[in-house]
Amino acid sequence: MPTLNWKGKLLSPPTPATLTLDSLLFPKGRGYPKARPDGRVIFGDNFAVMAALLPEYEGRIKLIYADPPFFTNRKFQARVGRGEDSRKPSKWKMAEGYHDDWADLDAYLQFLYERLTLMHRLLAADGTLYLHLDWHANSYARLILDEVFGAENFINEIVWTYHGPSPIRTAFNRKHDTILMYSKSKDYVFNVDDIREPYNPNTLATFKASRKAGFGKIPDLERGKVPEDWWYFPVVARLHNERTGYPTQKPEALLERIILASSNKGDLVADFFCGSGTTALAAAKHGRKFITCDEAVRAIHTARARLAGTKSVFTVERDVRMKTEVASKSKKIKVKAGDGLVTLQTSLDVDFWEIDPDWNGKTFRSAAQAQRHVRSGVIPMELKIKIGGKVCIRLVTVEGKQFQLNV
Ligand SMILES: C[S@@+](CC[C@H](N)C(=O)[O-])C[C@H]1O[C@@H](n2cnc3c(N)ncnc32)[C@H](O)[C@@H]1O
């Protein structure tokens, strides 16, 4: 079997992260139900985080979706603030997103190799990996996956097609990504009936017109067809409600198909390149448990805010080596609490705020949250909540500044 080699190819044992609990989030102001968390959002480098998860999760994760940097050698920024007019890029408000720049291809391949090896260990025997890349590196990744998973465990090369503007005038517009799908064994979960889609109206008309269409085989037209390995889903564009402003956000519909196909309700789904949190969100909406991780603070913030809109109780954790600045005072922020209502007054552009109505001074238990609507820019400044003892609020501005204030 041919294998891919590069300068510095090595599997060195990872140093596990030391994870600490940052907060527990109970969505939709339901107080603190005595539920065990369904999900974990972890701030840290995924190499160290996956290593820290091994003792508990080795061989237990049913599905891993990985959407790493693509080796574009670019720095991606997040678009923040109120509404963006696509015709006036100079007016966009930007903030740090994530970096996809590398010393060289060797460094990138080594980065992928050591992480894919840990993902393979974390996957359950009937688990599946989806690795999302594009033309920059997918040909190398295919060989790495053959080595780590075994070429016999290759299942699909899925092509995700989309439209969009492009400056290219010397080649065809590059408008597809490649998702490589590998299982850990021959016995893997694939829920074919959960991902069927309606037949094309032309196909339906052909079968209606002639019983002999389809070489005499009449498919179950009502049941729908198994999708091909090329998918069309629109990219998350400016006017889409799901848009967060986080760079290279993937469509929820794409993750839904993957989750429905390759996991069952109650299964554990992981995404160690969380970004805006699309996988965790789709997992939560479909009754799956989730673990997601990112090393960019904006990604963690974006994912947490999105997940606050689901029913899932989840933890936010971090590797102790990841430091974030959290201010505990600001003249620009005033908070009033009483009579089951917490009111925020501030001149800051707030993106997200949350309340612990019975602050124990240790773990922030977020029992009510408000977030800015991306398109309208509106965020509720009052939240109803039963106040138990001391009230503590946390707040994140659109620029990414964080505050934690005792009321
Ligand atoms: C292509 S984006 C993921 C987008 C995501 N699928 C979504 O729908 O928003 C890649 C993400 O991987 C993160 N990342 C890159 N290297 C990482 C590392 N070593 N550990 C954790 N996260 C990393 C980046 O910060 C970025 O948010």
Side-chain angles (χ1 to χ4, degrees):
M1 195 61 208
T3 52
L4 185 66
N5 282 307
W6 57 87
K7 198 162 53 47
K9 183 174 180 181
L10 177 76
L11 278 184
S12 48
T15 311
T18 306
L19 299 180
T20 175
L21 183 62
D22 179 67
S23 61
L24 253 170
L25 197 142
F26 303 100
K28 298 196 169 164
R30 286 183 295 138
Y32 310 138
K34 282 201 182 81
R36 272 172 68 85
D38 300 316
R40 299 176 71 168
V41 176
I42 307 173
F43 179 35
D45 180 329
N46 51 19
F47 192 45
V49 169
M50 283 191 278
L53 297 177
L54 275 175
E56 190 177 349
Y57 293 99
E58 182 151 24
R60 287 195 45 211
I61 300 180
K62 203 59 99 171
L63 163 66
I64 299 181
Y65 168 77
D67 179 21
F70 285 7
F71 192 61
T72 59
N73 286 306
R74 284 176 56 191
K75 286 182 184 158
F76 290 98
Q77 289 192 303
R79 286 196 210 168
V80 297
R82 301 212 168 105
E84 340 134 24
D85 184 339
S86 60
R87 292 156 302 179
K88 295 181 189 155
S90 58
K91 297 257 160 71
W92 295 341
K93 224 169 161 187
M94 310 299 273
E96 172 134 348
Y98 70 92
H99 291 190
D100 182 12
D101 46 351
W102 304 88
D104 51 26
L105 180 60
D106 296 328
Y108 178 77
L109 295 178
Q110 178 61 25
F111 167 89
L112 273 190
Y113 181 52
E114 50 195 12
R115 285 165 178 76
L116 291 171
T117 303
L118 287 185
M119 289 181 201
H120 183 257
R121 286 181 63 182
L122 287 166
L123 270 181
D126 58 350
T128 314
L129 170 86
Y130 289 73
L131 175 64
H132 189 143
L133 289 170
D134 73 358
W135 61 273
H136 289 91
N138 67 2
S139 52
Y140 306 112
R142 174 88 186 255
L143 290 174
I144 296 178
L145 287 171
D146 279 350
E147 180 182 330
V148 176
F149 280 71
E152 68 286 4
N153 290 321
F154 165 82
I155 303 175
N156 273 132
E157 179 185 66
I158 297 159
V159 173
W160 169 41
T161 64
Y162 44 85
H163 291 113
S166 162
I168 291 185
R169 296 293 174 266
T170 53
F172 295 107
N173 276 343
R174 298 190 178 110
K175 291 295 166 197
H176 80 266
D177 291 1
T178 309
I179 305 174
L180 298 169
M181 178 182 174
Y182 280 72
S183 59
K184 192 149 167 186
S185 70
K186 286 277 154 259
D187 178 23
Y188 58 92
V189 175
F190 192 72
N191 301 317
V192 68
D193 289 330
D194 294 348
I195 40 121
R196 287 182 185 274
E197 58 179 12
Y199 280 95
N200 182 305
N202 292 338
T203 311
L204 294 176
T206 309
F207 277 104
K208 223 173 177 186
S210 161
R211 301 191 112 253
K212 288 190 182 145
F215 306 104
K217 277 192 197 154
I218 303 177
D220 186 337
L221 297 172
E222 295 260 297
R223 196 171 58 152
K225 66 169 183 171
V226 180
E228 290 79 10
D229 58 1
W230 44 269
W231 302 351
Y232 176 81
F233 293 110
V235 282
V236 182
R238 193 171 58 93
L239 294 177
H240 287 163
N241 278 336
E242 64 182 281
R243 165 89 151 197
T244 63
Y246 195 82
T248 70
Q249 178 185 345
K250 301 301 177 299
E252 231 182 288
L254 180 100
L255 268 307
E256 270 179 359
R257 178 171 286 177
I258 291 173
I259 285 169
L260 291 176
S262 297
S263 68
N264 291 308
K265 277 206 162 120
D267 282 349
L268 181 56
V269 172
D271 180 344
F272 297 103
F273 294 96
C274 162
S276 63
T278 314
T279 309
L281 183 77
K285 285 188 178 173
H286 288 281
R288 274 66 168 169
K289 299 193 177 86
F290 60 85
I291 299 180
T292 194
C293 157
D294 205 290
E295 63 176 7
V297 67
R298 181 164 290 275
I300 296 299
H301 161 58
T302 309
R304 177 184 51 170
R306 281 178 104 186
L307 286 163
T310 71
K311 288 188 186 142
S312 290
V313 174
F314 60 94
T315 57
V316 182
E317 297 161 61
R318 69 182 164 85
D319 182 350
V320 291
R321 284 169 293 189
M322 307 301 283
K323 297 268 181 274
T324 43
E325 265 183 49
V326 182
S328 57
K329 278 190 193 126
S330 170
K331 283 189 184 144
K332 293 185 179 164
I333 306 173
K334 282 203 178 103
V335 189
K336 276 199 253 158
D339 297 332
L341 203 64
V342 179
T343 312
L344 179 66
Q345 284 176 338
T346 177
S347 55
L348 298 172
D349 223 351
V350 181
D351 200 43
F352 178 84
W353 65 289
E354 54 187 338
I355 305 169
D356 183 339
D358 194 7
W359 170 233
N360 62 16
K362 283 188 204 135
T363 305
F364 189 90
R365 291 167 301 163
S366 168
Q369 309 81 24
Q371 56 186 295
R372 189 182 61 93
H373 188 270
V374 180
R375 280 168 62 193
S376 68
V378 174
I379 177 163
M381 292 305 230
E382 264 183 7
L383 284 171
K384 275 192 193 155
I385 186 84
K386 199 169 149 216
I387 296 167
K390 283 187 189 156
V391 174
C392 183
I393 73 146
R394 283 186 174 184
L395 178 156
V396 185
T397 68
V398 291
E399 292 84 9
K401 284 198 185 121
Q402 301 193 44
F403 296 86
Q404 175 170 316
L405 307 165
N406 294 326
V407 180

